[in-house]
Amino acid sequence: MMAAAGENLRINGARLWDSLMEMAKIGPGVAGGNNRQTLTDEDGEARALFQRWCEEAGCTMGLDRMGNMFARREGTDPDLPPVYVGSHLDTQPTGGKYDGVLGVLGGLEILRSLNDLGIRTRHPIVVVNWTNEEGTRFAPAMVASGVFAGLHELDWAYDRTDAEGKRFGDELKRIGWMGEEEVGQRPIKAFFELHIEQGPILEAEDVDVGVVTHGQGLWWLEVTLTGKDAHTGSTPMAVRRNAGLGMARVTEAVQRIAMAHQPDAVGAVGQANLYPNSRNVIPGKAVFTVDFRTPDPVKLAAMRKELEIAAARVAEDMGLELSIEATGGFEPVAFDEGCVQAVRDAADRLGYSHRDIVSGAGHDACWINRVAPTAMVFCPCVDGLSHNEAEEITPAWAEKGTNVLFHAVVETAGVVG
Ligand code: HGY
Ligand code: MN
Ligand code: MN
């Protein structure tokens, strides 16, 4: 591929950082991070700020029925399929300021820089904010990019409910961000997503950029164990049907299964509820979610099977009823080699150190990769910490990652002077 004209293309790192800090003021957490969960009023506020910034940069904004936002910068040939770049603005309840947000505002910074430099591209460029990437308030994760890529039906997504029983569709309408555009009808030349690594490798190796070649596969298995509520004081130990104890034993099995499949396999229980959750009642019900991940599809299937067997044994030993429902899942992802090479070439051209890396976390790019050539760019994060309000990156890491994104996107879109 021809190198982009003006190989010294650089973004304005200070402006990017200011925008990240401005966005971080919306939906603040309690410890310096963010709690801007999907389809909350804070999510609506963030969307409005993003829209205002995009319109100030001369973009037109598209909005589809899942609330996905598409800020379009015209190309010299408007009929060509655009190059898409973006990520998500929603956060975990105790999230950081950069997970997802860097990818959306990094995309916006590319448009701002193209405007500053007076550069036109052949293909249009579209910056995307995908709705509900996190999947924490409404499972599953990446649900809106999943509908876009044809993995989920729109009505099924609208019927997802949060812990208070509120429907996804109702909440999207309530915050005023349900568009009319059918989901997934957009031709895409390529999609690039910049994201923090959310792991320790790049920082530990002092590498500027992660060239993401694959994404881990994932299972979210919701386990329900049902025993019997009873008095914690007067019920003899021998006759108890303690669902909370069952959950503890299955949690131990999750750890054992993940360790048995090392290297490159992880497992944890992240969400758990005991019922009736009273300090002097033996819990008669436990509902908890197992999160298994590995880049190896054979291991992924084996871990799920072994969990099902282990949980059935715990339930039988303890006289508990068991049900397991898969509330999320996807196979390991191999990103498009052409797009991955565009990221590698960009890092080389910019003189940045880089290494190939597998994504531990799931991303919208994992679904979009099914409908368009896709690749990701990682920047390091401090101590590899994420999904924690103390998540931190440096302005230099943000700037280098966004410069690589800039070159990869412009290379793919084609420069027209
Ligand atoms: O769960 C994930 O991997 C993503 O952060 N939603
Ligand atoms: Mn993310
Ligand atoms: Mn996340």
Side-chain angles (χ1 to χ4, degrees), residues 88 90-92 99-100 133-134 195 198 361-363 386-387 391:
H88 62 92
D90 67 305
T91 75
Q92 287 284 330
D99 171 359
E133 186 281 339
E134 292 293 357
H195 207 286
Q198 299 179 299
H363 300 285
S386 183
H387 285 196
E391 176 186 281

Side-chain angles (χ1 to χ4, degrees), residues 113-369:
S113 297
L114 286 170
N115 291 342
D116 291 348
L117 295 166
I119 291 177
R120 296 177 304 154
T121 58
R122 284 188 60 236
H123 291 258
I125 296 174
V126 174
V127 181
V128 193
N129 169 31
W130 298 109
T131 301
N132 187 27
E133 186 281 339
E134 292 293 357
T136 182
R137 183 184 174 198
F138 296 98
M142 297 103 76
V143 71
S145 53
V147 174
F148 187 95
L151 279 303
H152 309 306
E153 292 301 318
L154 182 74
D155 291 340
W156 179 86
Y158 280 1
D159 284 342
R160 297 308 92 210
T161 53
D162 68 4
E164 292 165 16
K166 290 179 181 169
R167 279 180 73 251
F168 182 100
D170 298 340
E171 284 294 280
L172 179 60
K173 193 173 287 181
R174 181 186 67 79
I175 65 168
W177 286 93
M178 180 185 279
E180 290 175 3
E181 177 186 316
E182 287 308 316
V183 185
Q185 307 305 314
R186 288 173 163 261
I188 297 179
K189 172 160 177 62
F191 175 67
F192 292 93
E193 180 169 3
L194 166 65
H195 207 286
I196 61 172
E197 179 197 341
Q198 299 179 299
I201 297 170
L202 296 177
E203 184 189 40
E205 295 179 2
D206 192 20
V207 169
D208 297 324
V209 173
V211 180
V212 188
T213 58
H214 296 79
Q216 284 199 115
L218 166 150
W219 275 121
W220 279 359
L221 305 171
E222 185 172 276
V223 181
T224 301
L225 287 169
T226 307
K228 187 171 184 175
D229 297 1
H231 198 300
T232 49
S234 54
T235 309
M237 293 302 281
V239 299
R240 296 182 178 204
R241 294 172 54 212
N242 183 339
L245 178 60
M247 179 175 77
R249 290 182 179 170
V250 174
T251 302
E252 190 60 48
V254 168
Q255 177 72 10
R256 189 176 63 248
I257 290 166
M259 295 312 290
H261 285 279
Q262 293 307 307
D264 302 329
V266 291
V269 169
Q271 185 179 58
N273 291 292
L274 292 179
Y275 302 91
N277 204 30
S278 163
R279 56 179 62 84
N280 46 2
V281 176
I282 298 165
K285 186 174 166 186
V287 183
F288 53 104
T289 298
V290 177
D291 181 325
F292 273 142
R293 308 197 194 194
T294 170
D296 178 334
V298 173
K299 277 190 185 181
L300 188 64
M303 289 164 81
R304 176 173 178 177
K305 189 73 194 139
E306 289 163 28
L307 187 277
E308 288 166 349
I309 293 166
R313 188 167 302 136
V314 166
E316 191 184 340
D317 292 352
M318 298 181 66
L320 302 174
E321 286 162 40
L322 167 69
S323 75
I324 300 178
E325 182 195 350
T327 55
F330 50 84
E331 288 296 306
V333 169
F335 289 115
D336 175 79
E337 289 189 5
C339 291
V340 170
Q341 192 55 44
V343 172
R344 245 184 236 114
D345 293 346
D348 281 334
R349 193 179 313 121
L350 288 156
Y352 298 157
S353 57
H354 61 87
R355 59 106 82 199
D356 288 4
I357 194 168
V358 173
S359 174
H363 300 285
D364 295 306
C366 296
W367 281 150
I368 302 306
N369 186 58

